[in-house]
Amino acid sequence: MAVPAAAMGPSALGPGGAGSLAPWSSVGGGPTRYVLGMQELFRGHSKTREFPAHSAKVHSVAWSCDGRRLASGSFDKTASVFLLEKDRLVKENNYRGHGDSVDQLCWHPSNPDLFVTASGDKTIRIWDVRTTKCIATVNTKGENINICWSPDGQTIAVGNKDDVVTFIDAKTHRSKAEEQFKFEVNEISWNNDNNMFFLTNGNGCINILSYPELKPVQSINAHPSNCICIKFDPMGKYFATGSADALVSLWDVDELVCVRCFSRLDWPVRTLSFSHDGKMLASASEDHFIDIAEVETGDKLWEVQCESPTFTVAWHPKRPLLAFACDDKDGKYDSSREAGTVKLFGLPNDS
């Protein structure tokens, strides 16, 4: 397979990344109508508000499928759930029960009341916001660091520090399959059609398995260094990967080829999120800003300033609102104390 632009390193591509080489890019033509429209919107909605969530750093944020709730998982061993009211998040509940850090969480793809948390305590827990109770605790073999729910809602996949991925039946809460990988597994995801399972790994590859057979389909050399995160766009056209070489690469789902790269970050890309219409891609790292790119051109649309490295970003499923969480320190009182806040960008400037 041809070496993707990601492998050339940013200097080979010039300031626009691979996007500037594409025939549909806006080079010479100025920004696209979409970019101009969104920039106009963000000029009036560039406010970021902070909401107290936890007593330690927040590792993961995610929206329910209907966009009414935001959940956050923290080093303080709890999850929090907020309700989105007009221009603010209102804390609804704190979910206790894990014996170690909550490293990642996600919601059921079509039921807005259920979410699942992965913890270092060797369990995953499924929670119901209607009863505010844990409806299932599933014991797993290792310290869990990543989790995803299949698009059809039937299966939860969880990855641990020993590079074992366990597939759990979401109804019976029993393990259906378990795979030990010979490489460092970073992030895991189904494709939108639910028939392939993707893993990003420490060698810079994307490994693709058939689902549910879990047979290897393809391994793509995506990056010259550690491939950290992966996200699928809601429209099913692209997926994006972020890596330790500070590049984000965008892939055609059907062709499995790299279409363009985004190279505005300088540090390893930790987290990615596509907007609900699939037209914007947020990416973040230890850089003190979150990059928001137009997917079709790779052009910079906006940047969200932050004072510290960002762990997690998540676009709202219906609106141009971006939830995120950083490695905050509570500087007012004690610079070593973690603040544990959740942030929301895209609010009206006068709110």
Side-chain angles (χ1 to χ4, degrees):
M1 190 179 149
V3 179
M8 300 181 205
S11 56
L13 301 172
S20 57
L21 311 175
W24 53 84
S25 134
S26 56
V27 173
T32 62
R33 270 208 310 255
Y34 180 79
V35 165
L36 292 171
M38 289 313 296
Q39 286 174 339
E40 182 63 29
L41 176 85
F42 288 143
R43 271 195 284 278
H45 295 73
S46 62
K47 187 169 185 168
T48 296
R49 286 180 80 171
E50 292 189 2
F51 302 91
H54 294 276
S55 60
K57 58 189 169 203
V58 177
H59 288 261
S60 180
V61 295
W63 294 98
S64 58
C65 61
D66 61 1
R68 286 186 60 224
R69 288 180 169 88
L70 180 80
S72 56
S74 167
F75 187 69
D76 71 4
K77 308 178 188 177
T78 73
S80 286
V81 172
F82 294 85
L83 278 164
L84 177 63
E85 291 185 3
K86 190 170 170 283
D87 291 316
R88 65 198 186 110
L89 291 169
V90 178
K91 194 162 181 185
E92 184 183 51
N93 244 303
N94 195 242
Y95 291 79
R96 300 175 181 279
H98 278 301
D100 202 345
S101 172
V102 177
D103 280 358
Q104 203 173 28
L105 52 75
C106 62
W107 291 82
H108 187 290
S110 53
N111 180 341
D113 298 321
L114 300 181
F115 71 97
V116 62
T117 49
S119 169
D121 67 4
K122 301 190 176 182
T123 69
I124 69 164
R125 285 175 177 254
I126 304 173
W127 311 85
D128 189 326
V129 297
R130 291 163 301 190
T131 60
T132 71
K133 292 205 164 42
C134 172
I135 58 170
T137 302
V138 184
N139 292 303
T140 59
K141 288 189 173 163
E143 295 179 40
N144 300 312
I145 49 176
N146 43 40
I147 196 160
C148 59
W149 209 313
S150 65
D152 65 8
Q154 290 179 23
T155 313
I156 296 164
V158 58
N160 71 25
K161 286 185 178 171
D162 304 317
D163 308 314
V164 174
V165 177
T166 307
F167 294 86
I168 294 157
D169 186 308
K171 288 197 177 64
T172 66
H173 312 135
R174 289 195 172 88
S175 168
K176 294 199 280 195
E178 198 175 79
E179 284 289 309
Q180 168 78 60
F181 293 94
K182 292 184 175 69
F183 47 75
E184 179 190 339
V185 175
N186 285 323
E187 206 161 50
I188 52 179
S189 178
W190 274 271
N191 64 341
N192 299 14
D193 292 337
N194 215 110
N195 62 2
M196 293 207 280
F197 191 76
F198 286 64
L199 309 97
T200 60
N201 80 29
N203 308 325
C205 291
I206 305 162
N207 289 83
I208 307 170
L209 310 178
S210 61
Y211 190 83
E213 304 80 15
L214 300 177
K215 296 279 176 278
V217 174
Q218 197 165 342
S219 176
I220 306 171
N221 291 321
H223 293 271
S225 62
N226 198 340
C227 191
I228 299 169
C229 48
I230 183 165
K231 278 291 183 309
F232 282 76
D233 101 72
M235 301 300 155
K237 191 175 175 187
Y238 300 118
F239 65 91
T241 56
S243 81
D245 58 14
L247 288 180
V248 174
S249 50
L250 185 76
W251 300 80
D252 182 295
V253 164
D254 297 324
E255 305 292 329
L256 297 177
V257 293
C258 179
V259 242
R260 66 193 63 90
C261 290
F262 309 83
S263 57
R264 283 179 291 272
L265 296 171
D266 289 324
W267 291 87
V269 183
R270 293 179 174 183
T271 175
L272 298 164
S273 180
F274 282 95
S275 58
H276 67 94
D277 56 7
K279 292 184 175 176
M280 291 186 286
L281 180 61
S283 55
S285 63
E286 289 176 55
D287 291 272
H288 286 191
F289 67 92
I290 299 164
D291 184 72
I292 299 178
E294 182 186 31
V295 170
E296 279 304 338
T297 59
D299 290 349
K300 176 176 158 178
L301 198 150
W302 202 262
E303 61 180 42
V304 181
Q305 295 303 316
C306 36
E307 272 103 61
S308 53
T310 301
F311 291 123
T312 175
V313 295
W315 281 111
H316 187 273
K318 294 174 183 174
R319 295 169 54 189
L321 290 171
L322 185 73
F324 63 102
C326 303
D327 189 7
D328 285 342
K329 299 287 183 271
D330 193 347
K332 287 198 291 285
Y333 307 106
D334 171 7
S335 59
S336 66
R337 199 173 89 104
E338 292 167 353
T341 57
V342 166
K343 298 176 173 60
L344 194 56
F345 161 79
L347 299 170
N349 295 353
D350 54 10
S351 64

